[in-house]
Amino acid sequence: MSAPEGSRPAPLRNHVRELWQAGRPSLSVLATIPSVQTVQVLAHAGFDDIVIDLEHGPIDLATAHAMIVATAGTPAVPYVRLPWNLPWLAKPLLDAGVLGVIFPMSRNAEDAAAAVRAARYPPRGERSWGPFYAPLRWDRSMQDYLDTADDAVIVALLIETADAVRNIAEIVATPGVDLAIIGGGDLATDLGHHGRADHPEVRAAIARAEEAILASGVVLGGAAPRSTEQANEMIARGYRHVSLGFDWALLQRGVAGLMTGLRR
């Protein structure tokens, strides 16, 4: 399905980018269960993106590829969360068709620049050629994909350390960074308040990061696992990427609700 000779291909569409451009939030979920079927259910449930979690989920590359394919036919955009901030880890997931890459433990502008280079082809970056399966996922010719992928792929950084908060202005000033996600759990741990994201020191650090991200033009992201009220409050404060939780937590919550009140 290539463009007519002499014409430019239509840009590779990214539903999430379109939402942000319209000033609307994207609703996300993290998939940790290595299951095509789980992704199919989530993709048809209304989420705008599904983050395939290679950082904390027991998911290998082959399974991740199948999970990416399972989003086809839905608006849900496949992301991947890498296990570490090593840009080369992004290569096979991009080539399989993800349109968003989340780099964890991004501490400074150097980390941010390396992430951007990993997700863009030369001359804008250092991504090497080899997208054998991404064009198939997006129903495009190889050339159409190569010509438009740079602008479709979202580069996201996790802001989850004290270093990242100190360097936040430089991080979000890095050209090519699209999304900065504040990770309250790891930030609390890094500040010595493990499991206490509501500690005043953690809340103050989150507020500093929020202020800098909102002033930069980079999209502000975060997690609202507790309730829709929490998500709505974050959206009102300027969050445009809101994660509603993990697949395992949604499953656990649903089962708990089903069991509550039963008489045995």
Side-chain angles (χ1 to χ4, degrees):
M1 191 175 68
S2 59
E5 187 174 351
S7 68
R8 293 178 62 84
L12 176 59
R13 293 183 59 195
N14 185 324
H15 168 64
V16 169
R17 278 198 185 279
E18 292 174 348
L19 287 173
W20 294 344
Q21 290 165 358
R24 298 174 59 194
S26 57
L27 301 180
S28 179
V29 64
L30 287 100
T32 66
I33 302 169
S35 165
V36 168
Q37 292 80 6
T38 299
V39 170
Q40 284 182 317
V41 171
L42 294 174
H44 284 272
F47 290 103
D48 299 303
D49 68 77
I50 297 177
V51 179
I52 299 166
D53 188 7
L54 272 66
E55 184 180 20
H56 295 294
I59 300 170
D60 61 25
L61 281 176
T63 305
H65 185 176
M67 294 166 75
I68 292 164
V69 173
T71 64
T74 77
V77 176
Y79 283 39
V80 65
R81 181 163 74 169
L82 300 181
W84 196 250
N85 192 354
L86 294 173
W88 61 267
L89 291 172
K91 186 189 311 183
L93 284 310
L94 286 164
D95 290 342
V98 297
L99 289 188
V101 183
I102 300 175
F103 295 82
M105 297 293 171
S106 301
R107 297 176 180 272
N108 50 47
E110 290 75 18
D111 287 345
V116 173
R117 290 195 302 271
R120 308 279 189 261
Y121 287 113
R124 295 167 65 180
E126 299 173 349
R127 180 180 173 187
S128 63
W129 182 88
F132 304 137
Y133 304 104
L136 300 177
R137 164 60 185 85
W138 298 104
D139 193 25
R140 303 177 70 82
S141 72
M142 177 74 77
Q143 192 61 54
D144 286 357
Y145 176 83
L146 290 167
D147 287 345
T148 60
D150 277 0
D151 291 326
V153 171
I154 290 167
V155 175
L157 308 177
L158 274 173
I159 307 303
E160 50 190 349
T161 64
D163 284 344
V165 174
R166 280 192 293 270
N167 298 321
I168 189 61
E170 297 174 4
I171 290 172
V172 294
T174 304
V177 173
D178 299 300
L179 169 63
I181 303 170
I182 300 174
D186 276 299
L187 183 55
T189 295
D190 197 57
L191 290 170
H193 306 294
H194 181 59
R196 297 188 294 277
D198 287 332
H199 188 280
E201 185 180 7
V202 180
R203 296 304 311 166
I206 290 173
R208 289 196 298 273
E210 288 175 341
E211 182 179 8
I213 297 166
L214 285 170
S216 71
V218 169
V219 172
L220 172 62
R226 293 197 295 269
S227 65
T228 54
E229 289 78 10
Q230 182 189 20
N232 287 334
E233 188 272 334
M234 290 173 64
I235 291 168
R237 291 198 347 254
Y239 280 80
R240 289 297 175 265
H241 166 95
V242 180
S243 174
L244 300 180
F246 293 90
D247 51 2
W248 64 265
L250 297 176
L251 176 62
Q252 188 179 62
R253 190 185 308 168
V255 172
L258 179 67
M259 299 295 286
T260 299
L262 286 176
R263 299 182 184 138
R264 294 203 253 187

